[in-house]
Amino acid sequence: MAQPMLFEPISIRDVTLKNRVVVAPMHQYSAVKGFAQDWHLMNAGRYAAGGAGLVIMESTKVERRGCGTVGDLGIWDDAFIPGLKRCVEFIRKHNSVPGIQLGHSGRKARRFRPWEGGAPLTPDGIDDWDQWELVSSSAKNSPETDPTPRALTRDEIPQMIERWGQAARRAHEAGFDVLDIHAAHGYLIHQFLSPFSNLRNDDYGGSELNRMRFCIEVVECVRTYWPASKPLFVRFSVEDDAGWGPDQSVALAKILKPKGVDVIDCSSGGMRGSPVVSAGPVTYGYQVPYAERLRRDADIMSMAVGLIVHADQAEQILQEGRADLIALARELLYNPNWPMDAAQKLGVDRQFGSVPPAQAYWLAKRAQSVKSVVPSTFMKGMNVD
Ligand SMILES: Cc1cc2nc3c(=O)[nH]c(=O)nc-3n(C[C@H](O)[C@H](O)[C@H](O)COP(=O)(O)O)c2cc1C
């Protein structure tokens, strides 16, 4: 294998990532009334200290109504900035780039947490229930047993778009360097994109371009607040198995690129349950074909995510030109030091330079002095002989 691309730095606008390993956004269900806690600092911090080039903090909600469940992070008020800034500073101090995803759950808001079953929440114990309204592109629920959301009126849409812009301003003030707009997984922006959920007959519904309009205007508004020096990513459900697919995603990416979007973060599903399996069975790298398609046909950088588990697997995706960045979620829950481990397996960073010196010293010493010891994670990957 040639020199590993996974550990080649990459520059996007004025931001340089030291490697191509990205921590995918992951809800922590741990905020208190939207405010970041010590948990968020520890969690983002361990991934930064584990050697990832970019840590994208979870879907952080642009308004109260957008919270998916109890414990979502918020960014709908300036009061949230200091708590987020604390995480940003820690990530940066450990030589990683701080990123954040902005989100709004729309009709999928106000639910029990996944391990509680994920059903619609009940008002018990929620002191601001009346403010936690379900809104969407249309008054359509799915499944039919779910509460019906209220369709945003034509007049409310500009205010909603401005909330994304204000959230971007706050993310910048908190010091984040990368922004990822959540337009996937059946949440609010996706509810405008997909004909399955968008039944509007004004200029935000109907034709494909009309359904894209909300997303496009969110990007335009975000870009007015998010500095030109900083990268902007958008996460798509490239295939939702409900009328929105790769052709539409390519068309939208082509519109968004000249408006300042740098990377399409290629996911899938969420409109009618997830994940979708159009790409084939859900197995290693099942969404990589989407990242490959967007990169090739929309001529835009892409980020692959979804069951990327092994270092050699990640490296092969990059070597084959199927994506520019590799994002991991659950494997990092299993091993927050995955980037350090991958660097060993791919034969770079023998001195463990990607982790804090106080750890690198001891790890390098062990590697040099105790030749018969291999780390516990050192099992075979996808293509290791
Ligand atoms: C605990 C957890 C929380 C997640 N939260 C988010 C989120 O906030 N935003 C998002 O776009 N995806 C979220 N995801 C999806 C991941 O970003 C990722 O796309 C998915 O888990 C597939 O990648 P993996 O196979 O590496 O886990 C979450 C996944 C997990 C496991």
Side-chain angles (χ1 to χ4, degrees):
M1 201 176 261
Q3 171 65 18
M5 282 180 75
L6 193 59
F7 290 93
E8 268 176 23
I10 182 170
S11 294
I12 310 172
R13 296 186 185 251
D14 290 358
V15 173
T16 299
L17 313 183
K18 68 182 174 190
N19 59 47
R20 317 284 175 108
V21 184
V22 177
V23 180
M26 278 185 276
H27 275 291
Q28 297 303 308
Y29 311 94
S30 301
V32 177
K33 294 192 175 297
F35 286 93
Q37 305 295 306
D38 287 353
W39 175 269
H40 298 94
L41 179 71
M42 181 284 296
N43 188 60
R46 65 178 171 167
Y47 298 134
L54 169 62
V55 178
I56 304 181
M57 290 181 68
E58 69 193 80
S59 175
T60 304
K61 300 305 176 324
V62 304
E63 66 163 14
R64 170 66 182 110
R65 292 183 297 188
C67 291
T69 184
V70 175
D72 281 28
L73 267 184
I75 193 163
W76 62 83
D77 192 282
D78 286 2
F80 295 115
I81 295 173
L84 294 170
K85 194 174 195 158
R86 197 169 158 238
C87 300
V88 163
E89 286 168 357
F90 194 88
I91 294 168
R92 189 170 287 122
K93 191 171 165 194
H94 289 288
N95 201 20
S96 184
V97 170
I100 188 169
Q101 186 182 55
L102 299 183
H104 190 303
S105 300
R107 74 180 187 186
K108 285 177 79 171
R110 225 177 58 192
R111 305 189 78 89
F112 281 98
R113 292 170 294 186
W115 61 91
E116 296 165 337
L121 264 174
T122 50
D124 313 329
I126 312 271
D127 55 18
D128 60 349
W129 180 260
D130 292 340
Q131 285 149 52
W132 203 352
E133 188 193 15
L134 299 186
V135 293
S136 185
S137 55
S138 302
K140 189 188 173 200
N141 52 9
S142 175
E144 284 173 7
T145 47
D146 270 11
T148 304
R150 184 175 66 78
L152 288 166
T153 66
R154 177 70 185 72
D155 288 349
E156 286 174 312
I157 289 180
Q159 299 162 19
M160 180 64 89
I161 290 168
E162 178 63 20
R163 290 200 180 115
W164 288 80
Q166 288 298 325
R169 170 185 64 75
R170 293 183 193 110
H172 170 58
E173 286 177 21
F176 288 102
D177 280 334
V178 171
L179 207 59
D180 186 43
I181 294 177
H182 200 343
H185 300 171
Y187 296 120
L188 184 65
I189 296 181
H190 190 184
Q191 289 161 26
F192 274 87
L193 294 174
S194 184
F196 184 77
S197 46
N198 184 341
L199 310 176
R200 299 179 78 92
N201 51 20
D202 59 9
D203 47 349
Y204 288 91
S207 71
E208 197 170 285
L209 185 59
N210 278 358
R211 282 184 278 113
M212 291 176 182
R213 195 176 309 283
F214 182 74
C215 181
I216 294 167
E217 291 181 358
V218 165
V219 164
E220 286 171 342
C221 185
V222 161
R223 259 293 169 217
T224 64
Y225 292 100
W226 185 245
S229 58
K230 295 189 177 186
L232 180 60
F233 295 16
V234 181
R235 176 167 271 202
F236 287 175
S237 279
V238 176
E239 172 62 73
D240 73 359
D241 268 355
W244 177 269
D247 291 345
Q248 290 76 25
S249 297
V250 167
L252 180 56
K254 284 182 175 168
I255 295 171
L256 298 182
K257 186 179 173 185
K259 294 184 184 294
V261 170
D262 304 293
V263 175
I264 304 296
D265 171 4
C266 297
S267 190
S268 67
M271 184 51 70
R272 290 204 288 204
S274 62
V276 292
V277 291
S278 296
V282 174
T283 181
Y284 281 134
Y286 64 101
Q287 295 174 143
V288 175
Y290 302 137
E292 182 177 13
R293 173 83 200 275
L294 266 289
R295 188 173 193 266
R296 184 185 67 227
D297 293 348
D299 189 26
I300 191 163
M301 279 188 271
S302 71
M303 181 158 81
V305 67
L307 282 181
I308 302 173
V309 175
H310 297 289
D312 56 343
Q313 178 197 6
E315 177 61 18
Q316 191 174 345
I317 293 165
L318 295 174
Q319 290 283 351
E320 291 175 352
R322 305 179 77 194
D324 299 275
L325 294 167
I326 300 292
L328 296 92
R330 288 164 295 180
E331 184 57 18
L332 284 162
L333 299 182
Y334 187 82
N335 176 15
N337 288 333
W338 189 92
M340 174 193 80
D341 189 62
Q344 299 307 306
K345 287 174 175 158
L346 294 176
V348 297
D349 194 20
R350 287 289 179 220
Q351 295 306 307
F352 295 87
S354 64
V355 299
Q359 295 174 4
Y361 171 80
W362 294 105
L363 290 168
K365 198 172 159 73
R366 182 180 73 164
Q368 279 150 25
S369 59
V370 194
K371 297 265 184 261
S372 57
V373 170
V374 291
S376 61
T377 52
F378 233 81
M379 53 196 230
K380 290 187 176 183
M382 294 236 313
N383 297 301
V384 177
D385 291 330

